[in-house]
Amino acid sequence: MPNLNDIQKVLIIGGGPTEIGHETELDSATVQIITEFKKHGVRTLIIDNNPFSVALEEIQPTNMYVQAVTTANVRHIIEKDQPDAILPSLGGLLGIRIAQELIENGDIGRYGITILGMPASTLRQINNPAALNTTLKEIHEPVIEAQIVATVDEAMGLVDTIGFPLIVKPVAPRLDTNRTICENVDDMVTALNQGFQQSRFDQCTLERSVVGYKEIEMVAVRDGAGTAVLISGLENVDPIGIHSGDSIVVAPPQTLNDREYQDLRDVTFRIAAELSIVGVLHLHFALNPDNQHFYVTKIAPYFSRGVALAARTSGYPIALVTGALLLGQRLVDVKLPSRFTKQTAIMEPTIDHVSVRIPLWPFQEVPDADQHLDTVMKAVGSTVGIGRSVEEAMLKSVRSSQFSPRDVLPSVSNLSDGEMIRQLIHPLANRILVLIEALRRGYAPDELSELTKIDNYYFVKLRHLLTIEEQIQSHPLDVDVLQRARYFGFGDGMIARIWQTDTAAIRQLSASAKIMPTYKMIEPTAGEFPEDLSGYYSTFEYENESQPLGDRTALVLGRGGNQLGPNSAAEYFTTEMLKQLKRAGYHTILMNTNPNAVGVAPEFSDKQYVDPIQLGDVLNVIQVEHPDIVIVPGNRHYLTRELGKLDDVNLHVLPPDQETGEPSPKMATIGVSLFVHGQQKVAVGVMDMIAPGMNKALSQVTAFRMPAELPKAKRNNLVEAAKQAVSERQVTGMIQVLFAPKSADSAQLKVVGVRPTRLTEMAFLSKVTGVNWVRMLTRQHIGTLDDDELAKITIDINSNRVALMNAAFPFRQLHVLNRPGSTDQEVGATIAFGSSEALTLTNLSDTAELDQIINRTI
């Protein structure tokens, strides 16, 4: 491990655009590690082409490479800037693959680059099951036997030995891929042909299936001296056979006995030591519930959604600690912020609460995707609930999901018995609702456990929730039942619906009976030591650990779990808004249930509440904190309407609601963005709005070029026309004026619509102009925007530098036909700069994406 003094400059390989498999957890960890590197005087370089990256806002422009995250581009930066080290683990599997290729090409040795986090010998083995199995066998750890094949004929020769079902996985895939379960020869041949194309070595592995086993995850950190700490175990409710990203996950594990847990902990430490891991390690295990025998199924020495959940549920600052360890510090010497007990880094967390993470799926926006849950990950985000019991945490998580926009759970009672059985065996995205419905119909927990391979324990817990629901139904307005229901996670809206009343009546009854929530700190010592951390969750016990922050507070409501549409951009918006509120002297409070959100990092908010963003829960936080302002995102119409009725709530809608009251145009080809403040109208940019081929439908405009490909005089004329259009309307803030041809064969443009600038374009404009328009909009809302300062801002709308942003879609991961996507199907985006359009296109991404955007402009 390098000495701290040897590392002066580190290149971080970014994760690229958000996609299925990773969202904002990589960006969140990057921000925190940059903070730690800065404390040690280390200069950080980053390569990333994600326009919604918060980490890119945290470093100087000279340290930022807004380029496609490719091996060639990373090699060029190494040649030019000669960093002392590279850090691939913040780029997820993409970063790992690029580092592997740099080793294979000899670049690491040629330039004398140190790889932070693991030696080259370990890096070569990641995502290579055969190589890892060899290492694990040497240290006598249990692995599933994997056979490497390079042809279908080789595989056919092994079928009799392995037997069906078997699993096919590409060796060292170019992209994040999934294991494929094959029930017969036809399945295997299809999986192999696809896997050979995905593998960098044109090889696949065949291994015996362990479908039906329990899936357990372990997250640990280790220093260069060999000291390791287990942060948390994670238990997948769903068995092996459903991707862990699509499974309900519970922390800490609930159904392991102490021997099983300690065995997995010991193996985690032995593997970390054998691979010489420094920093974070995330392992997956398949555990046979019948005989406690287990296998190691995945080794991930990088940041992942599991690491993010472990950090969120334990309160242990994994990223900050990892940043120190990567620079050569030992766990015993890591100095954490003063709010932590001195020895937190070296102590294993003790957790006195339960966290439940439930995935969010994109099927509403991509209905032609196969909605069955299997080994192919399909979730685009997740939401977490925290409570004192599994029931409370589970119900909070479900209430925070896309099932429950108004704190009421939908029913699946219309399913026939036959269809319900089919869905129990072959689950869909509404699995949790189907499990509940099966219990309602009288199926016993052990029957359901046999059908689904889910541990009987979780059906007992769900049945307990149904028992409480029956008590609520049979005892209307009973305060004892109300107390019990609230303790196990039932929300005001749920109880109000059962009692056929409204939320206000439930809250009045609760207040009169003194049934009020108490808030517990999320910290890693279970109250044993005087930690003073910033994360809280609600429950209904006696001691309240959350005290008001004091004067000048702002409560910001997050968007919850990531979904398709502008949610990655929304997370960027929320984080930049929090930064501006802090700069303006506000104490910031964030409510969010997304365990991967950047904004929950303590750098950005003074306090975080992990509670459902539902009316009753929000009002409870308001009662505790008495915020000066409450900020609600524009897509939460019900919350906005209900909070707006309260005289003592100073409500702001940020980002603004997209509903302007005027009809939305069907098409647009040019967008002119203005920042409108009083009489001032600052021209921010003129951009081409690019849709596939000749299609200019506004809903399919998912690529943008700035400046627009127009003569200078025409751009200036459009700006003046846009200012006139804005003057005729009562609008303020970041506004986009939309233009389209007057007729099909006309080159003349006319105004066809005016709307608030979308979050995606606002992030793009901030990156292109160097002015953070999110912060400007925030300042406008809180009254700290200076007219003279705004007047001094001049944007060159005729710049020779071309910028392009192109939406990324989840079609490849969902295995649906790759077709032009719409704005509500976006999963992320890429951004590129260049001195000409051709150079910008080249910088944007790989060949496939380059072809895609060129075709859009034809």
Side-chain angles (χ1 to χ4, degrees):
M1 189 68 195
N3 186 283
L4 172 61
N5 296 325
D6 296 335
I7 303 296
Q8 300 299 319
K9 191 193 302 184
V10 176
L11 170 61
I12 291 176
I13 302 175
T18 304
E19 61 181 6
I20 291 177
H22 84 83
E23 41 181 300
T24 52
E25 71 274 6
L26 297 178
D27 201 33
S28 178
T30 302
V31 167
Q32 294 174 71
I33 283 183
I34 289 172
T35 300
E36 193 64 25
F37 282 4
K38 282 179 181 176
K39 286 198 301 190
H40 294 288
V42 174
R43 180 183 170 195
T44 306
L45 314 175
I46 300 181
I47 176 172
D48 206 351
N49 62 339
N50 181 358
F52 314 132
S53 168
V54 175
L56 288 177
E57 304 284 346
E58 298 296 300
I59 61 173
Q60 296 297 319
T62 53
N63 297 331
M64 166 193 320
Y65 289 88
V66 184
Q67 299 176 358
V69 186
T70 64
T71 304
N73 284 341
V74 172
R75 183 189 302 114
H76 177 72
I77 296 169
I78 291 173
E79 291 172 351
K80 176 178 176 293
D81 262 315
Q82 298 185 352
D84 303 306
I86 62 168
L87 178 54
S89 59
L90 291 168
L93 276 175
L94 174 62
I96 295 294
R97 175 178 63 78
I98 288 173
Q100 288 171 334
E101 292 181 358
L102 291 171
I103 293 171
E104 292 161 13
N105 298 338
D107 295 314
I108 295 297
R110 185 179 307 118
Y111 295 102
I113 300 293
T114 297
I115 301 170
L116 295 183
M118 70 197 85
S121 57
T122 293
L123 189 62
R124 288 191 189 97
Q125 300 177 60
I126 303 307
N127 221 20
N128 187 336
L132 275 172
N133 281 4
T134 300
T135 298
L136 293 175
K137 284 179 185 176
E138 289 174 357
I139 58 173
H140 309 293
E141 297 302 347
V143 295
I144 304 169
E145 192 64 41
Q147 299 287 341
I148 295 180
V149 297
T151 66
V152 172
D153 287 343
E154 283 184 61
M156 295 296 288
L158 293 169
V159 165
D160 289 340
T161 305
I162 298 173
F164 288 109
L166 57 76
I167 289 175
V168 172
K169 187 173 183 183
V171 173
R174 294 182 177 89
L175 300 164
D176 188 11
T177 58
N178 304 277
R179 299 168 184 267
T180 303
I181 300 173
C182 303
E183 300 288 347
N184 51 51
V185 170
D186 289 342
D187 288 351
M188 182 183 74
V189 171
T190 301
L192 285 169
N193 287 329
Q194 186 177 57
F196 291 145
Q197 293 176 2
Q198 295 168 337
S199 169
R200 291 192 291 118
F201 303 141
D202 304 316
Q203 295 174 327
C204 289
T205 58
L206 301 185
E207 59 185 45
R208 186 167 62 82
S209 171
V210 288
V211 168
Y213 282 29
K214 284 185 183 179
E215 184 159 14
I216 307 295
E217 305 171 45
M218 291 284 176
V219 176
V221 294
R222 179 182 180 273
D223 66 19
T227 304
V229 171
L230 188 73
I231 306 305
S232 180
L234 311 173
E235 179 176 2
N236 288 243
V237 171
D238 293 295
I240 296 278
I242 292 178
H243 195 287
S244 62
D246 285 340
S247 176
I248 298 168
V249 177
V250 181
Q254 300 294 301
T255 68
L256 301 188
N257 61 41
D258 186 61
R259 177 61 184 270
E260 291 169 333
Y261 192 84
Q262 295 304 328
D263 283 348
L264 297 184
R265 176 179 179 273
D266 291 345
V267 172
T268 300
F269 291 165
R270 285 197 295 269
I271 291 173
E274 177 65 21
L275 298 178
S276 298
I277 301 297
V278 172
V280 70
L281 176 63
H282 179 199
L283 295 183
H284 290 240
F285 297 90
L287 177 69
N288 187 334
D290 297 327
N291 59 15
Q292 288 75 53
H293 189 74
F294 62 86
Y295 297 104
V296 181
T297 58
K298 184 178 180 181
I299 297 177
Y302 49 82
F303 284 86
S304 62
R305 60 190 170 273
V307 173
L309 179 61
R312 199 78 211 111
T313 191
S314 67
Y316 187 97
I318 295 176
L320 285 180
V321 170
T322 296
L325 301 183
L326 291 172
L327 296 176
Q329 286 198 301
R330 297 182 306 161
L331 275 165
V332 71
D333 298 323
V334 172
K335 290 183 174 61
L336 293 174
S338 59
R339 60 182 180 272
F340 289 94
T341 294
K342 185 178 179 181
Q343 295 301 317
T344 294
I346 196 67
M347 291 190 294
E348 286 202 340
T350 301
I351 302 173
D352 60 356
H353 51 264
V354 179
S355 297
V356 174
R357 186 187 72 197
I358 288 183
L360 303 177
W361 290 276
F363 302 133
Q364 187 173 344
E365 287 75 26
V366 190
D368 56 330
D370 180 2
Q371 300 190 16
H372 288 94
L373 306 185
D374 50 33
T375 56
V376 177
M377 181 176 173
K378 295 165 185 171
V380 293
S382 59
T383 185
V384 68
I386 303 180
R388 291 300 235 192
S389 63
V390 171
E391 293 95 322
E392 182 184 11
M394 184 84 75
L395 198 47
K396 280 183 174 180
S397 190
V398 174
R399 288 173 53 213
S400 299
S401 73
Q402 59 199 9
F403 297 131
S404 182
R406 294 196 190 180
D407 208 7
V408 173
L409 299 187
S411 169
V412 291
S413 58
N414 59 335
L415 286 179
S416 67
D417 280 349
E419 180 59 28
M420 190 177 69
I421 294 294
R422 278 192 294 275
Q423 289 194 27
L424 288 170
I425 298 170
H426 304 290
L428 301 172
N430 64 347
R431 146 159 267 193
I432 185 70
L433 303 178
V434 174
L435 300 180
I436 292 170
E437 179 62 24
L439 288 166
R440 276 203 177 101
R441 295 188 190 184
Y443 285 85
D446 55 350
E447 292 178 290
L448 294 173
S449 182
E450 180 65 28
L451 273 174
T452 63
K453 306 304 179 187
I454 294 173
D455 195 287
N456 184 67
Y457 171 88
Y458 292 106
F459 290 109
V460 172
K461 292 296 183 182
L462 288 174
R463 190 168 64 177
H464 184 210
L465 286 173
L466 290 180
T467 299
I468 297 168
E469 183 184 62
E470 291 167 2
Q471 291 173 350
I472 299 170
Q473 289 170 336
S474 58
H475 297 83
L477 303 179
D478 184 304
V479 293
D480 291 333
V481 170
L482 177 61
Q483 169 80 44
R484 182 172 174 78
R486 298 296 294 274
Y487 183 76
F488 283 103
F490 284 82
D492 291 344
M494 298 177 74
I495 298 169
R497 185 181 187 186
I498 295 171
W499 283 348
Q500 298 183 339
T501 183
D502 56 25
T503 300
I506 300 300
R507 295 189 62 78
Q508 187 173 2
L509 181 62
S510 297
S512 62
K514 294 184 168 53
I515 304 171
M516 303 303 292
T518 55
Y519 292 92
K520 302 296 182 182
M521 188 184 300
I522 303 169
E523 54 87 25
T525 72
E528 187 70 21
F529 295 95
E531 309 264 22
D532 185 23
L533 305 194
S534 54
Y536 292 86
Y537 67 95
S538 69
T539 189
F540 286 79
E541 294 183 350
Y542 297 107
E543 183 184 3
N544 181 45
E545 297 174 5
S546 177
Q547 301 304 316
L549 282 179
D551 296 333
R552 200 165 169 76
T553 56
L555 172 61
V556 176
L557 306 185
R559 288 206 170 203
N562 194 63
Q563 298 179 42
L564 292 188
N567 267 42
S568 294
E571 186 57 38
Y572 168 84
F573 186 102
T574 299
T575 306
E576 293 302 315
M577 176 172 59
L578 286 166
K579 286 155 71 173
Q580 185 56 50
L581 289 167
K582 276 189 119 174
R583 185 173 292 183
Y586 281 92
H587 294 103
T588 51
I589 306 161
L590 176 66
M591 278 189 79
N592 205 349
T593 55
N594 181 356
N596 304 312
V598 186
V600 299
E603 284 89 338
F604 303 126
S605 50
D606 297 305
K607 205 173 201 179
Q608 306 90 38
Y609 285 96
V610 186
D611 263 350
I613 307 172
Q614 302 287 2
L615 180 61
D617 304 86
V618 172
L619 291 173
N620 290 339
V621 171
I622 289 174
Q623 278 190 318
V624 171
E625 298 289 351
H626 306 291
D628 293 277
I629 58 174
V630 177
I631 299 177
V632 183
N635 66 335
R636 298 302 296 264
H637 304 299
Y638 174 74
L639 263 182
T640 300
R641 185 169 65 250
E642 295 303 310
L643 290 173
K645 296 175 182 177
L646 305 176
D647 295 333
D648 56 345
V649 173
N650 179 9
L651 191 67
H652 292 262
V653 179
L654 263 176
D657 195 335
Q658 289 290 311
E659 301 296 329
T660 59
E662 61 179 64
S664 178
K666 293 182 180 178
M667 62 169 293
T669 58
I670 300 288
V672 176
S673 292
L674 305 172
F675 190 87
V676 182
H677 182 65
Q679 298 303 309
Q680 293 177 283
K681 302 175 187 67
V682 178
V684 178
V686 181
M687 65 176 74
D688 284 320
M689 307 183 73
I690 305 167
M694 299 303 293
N695 183 359
K696 299 297 179 185
L698 194 59
S699 63
Q700 291 195 320
V701 171
T702 55
F704 305 90
R705 174 175 47 216
M706 201 168 91
E709 205 172 32
L710 295 169
K712 179 178 177 180
K714 193 160 189 177
R715 285 190 210 123
N716 293 336
N717 290 340
L718 288 179
V719 168
E720 293 308 311
K723 289 181 177 179
Q724 179 61 35
V726 164
S727 297
E728 294 167 359
R729 296 164 172 84
Q730 295 296 316
V731 291
T732 188
M734 278 293 284
I735 301 299
Q736 188 177 58
V737 181
L738 303 172
F739 290 84
K742 287 186 175 180
S743 61
D745 57 353
S746 173
Q748 293 289 101
L749 296 168
K750 65 176 181 179
V751 174
V752 293
V754 176
R755 66 180 183 181
T757 301
R758 292 176 68 239
L759 301 183
T760 49
E761 286 104 298
M762 206 182 304
F764 178 52
L765 290 165
S766 295
K767 291 285 194 294
V768 173
T769 63
V771 177
N772 194 308
W773 295 106
V774 175
R775 296 189 189 185
M776 298 294 283
L777 187 61
T778 304
R779 291 175 62 187
Q780 183 183 55
H781 268 259
I782 62 177
T784 62
L785 183 58
D786 183 81
D787 290 354
D788 294 336
E789 182 185 351
L790 185 61
K792 292 176 184 175
I793 294 177
T794 55
I795 305 297
D796 182 6
I797 63 169
N798 298 303
S799 170
N800 290 325
R801 186 179 71 157
V802 178
L804 281 170
M805 183 170 72
N806 189 31
F809 300 100
F811 304 139
R812 175 182 57 80
Q813 292 105 322
L814 293 174
H815 293 173
V816 300
L817 184 65
N818 195 6
R819 73 294 184 113
S822 60
T823 54
D824 60 2
Q825 293 174 324
E826 297 172 5
V827 70
T830 56
I831 186 173
F833 296 95
S835 56
S836 68
E837 182 181 346
L839 178 60
T840 307
L841 287 169
T842 303
N843 288 340
L844 188 64
S845 191
D846 59 24
T847 305
E849 187 169 2
L850 175 60
D851 291 342
Q852 184 183 28
I853 192 168
I854 289 174
N855 290 335
R856 288 177 181 215
T857 63
I858 295 173

